[in-house]
């Protein structure tokens, strides 16, 4: 009887260990790309919220201010959902935008009015073009079902942002501004500088 008890305990330990290793292996194998997506989404989402706040404060037109407030609301909600999902997955997310996003935030914080509107909206078009592609890729090819589902659910909102940004950039594009603002706008949109290229690669 004692031998049987020892055998049962030993078998349970072996099965438990095997299950744990298998689960960890499966998790590692299927979430690496998903975790990378989650990290980029978190960094980008926090940047959108910070930039949205700037838009509501520095924007020259009511339309740009309203767009900025929507960025705060929509991306703030998405960030909260992603944080909860990451906690369930045991994934550690960044707590601040990356260096390139922070550089953009700092640069736009020095602008106001029509100057800000033009630079901000051009950045929003570029960012959301990239975001939509990244979320579409995750929604179609993601390996983690929960992360894939979140990407699919969030994608339509990003597409709405993308279309709205394109409409607004056409409205503010022709407005005059200072030479410094024109240089900033050129850097944030139009031709892609090395820093822009790097930011697009790191964004979502």
């Amino acid at each position: 009887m004692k031998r049987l008890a020892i055998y049962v305990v030993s078998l349970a330990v072996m099965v438990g260990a095997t299950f744990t290793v298998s689960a960890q292996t499966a998790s590692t194998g299927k979430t690496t790309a998903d975790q990378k997506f989650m990290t980029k989404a978190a960094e980008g989402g926090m940047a959108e919220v910070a930039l949205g706040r700037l838009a509501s404060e520095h924007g020259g037109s009511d339309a740009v201010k309203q767009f900025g407030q929507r960025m705060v609301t929509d991306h703030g909600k998405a960030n909260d959902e992603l944080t909860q999902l990451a906690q369930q997955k045991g994934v550690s997310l960044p707590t601040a935008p990356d260096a390139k996003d922070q550089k953009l935030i700092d640069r736009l914080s020095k602008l106001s009015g029509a100057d800000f509107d033009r630079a901000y909206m051009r950045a929003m078009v570029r960012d959301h073009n990239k975001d939509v592609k990244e979320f579409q890729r995750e929604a179609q090819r993601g390996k983690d079902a929960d992360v894939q589902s979140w990407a699919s659910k969030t994608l339509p909102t990003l597409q709405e942002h993308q279309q709205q940004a394109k409409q607004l950039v056409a409205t503010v594009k022709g407005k005059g501004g200072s030479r410094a603002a024109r240089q900033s706008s050129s850097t944030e949109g139009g031709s892609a500088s090395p820093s822009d290229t790097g930011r697009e690669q790191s964004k979502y």
Side-chain angles (χ1 to χ4, degrees), residues 107 111 115 118-119 177-187:
R107 183 160 57 245
L111 301 178
D115 295 343
R118 184 171 54 256
S178 67
R179 181 179 178 181
R182 289 195 295 271
Q183 292 175 339
S184 177
S185 295
S186 177
T187 300

Side-chain angles (χ1 to χ4, degrees), residues 31-146:
T31 62
T32 299
D34 296 309
Q35 289 177 351
K36 184 177 180 181
F37 167 79
M38 293 170 74
T39 296
K40 289 183 177 181
E43 291 174 340
M46 287 184 287
E48 296 294 358
V49 170
L51 290 168
R53 290 193 179 116
L54 281 180
S56 65
E57 298 171 0
H58 293 231
S61 73
D62 289 339
V64 170
K65 290 182 178 180
Q66 291 171 5
F67 179 85
Q69 186 55 54
R70 183 178 182 185
M71 295 303 99
V72 173
T73 300
D74 290 353
H75 282 279
K77 177 182 178 181
N79 291 348
D80 290 341
E81 293 173 350
L82 180 58
T83 297
Q84 293 178 2
L85 181 58
Q87 291 175 345
Q88 295 172 5
K89 301 291 179 181
V91 176
S92 296
L93 295 179
T95 58
D98 67 15
K100 294 182 178 66
D101 284 337
Q102 188 59 53
K103 184 176 180 180
L104 174 64
I105 294 169
D106 294 341
R107 183 160 57 245
L108 293 189
S109 69
K110 300 174 183 178
L111 301 178
S112 62
D115 295 343
F116 177 91
D117 290 353
R118 184 171 54 256
Y120 172 66
M121 292 314 308
R122 292 182 73 166
M124 288 297 96
V125 169
R126 186 192 64 243
D127 289 350
H128 281 87
N129 285 344
K130 181 65 175 178
D131 296 347
V132 167
K133 290 180 181 179
E134 294 293 341
F135 273 72
Q136 285 176 331
R137 183 180 297 111
E138 179 66 21
Q140 295 170 0
R141 305 177 186 176
K143 302 301 181 182
D144 186 295
D146 295 328

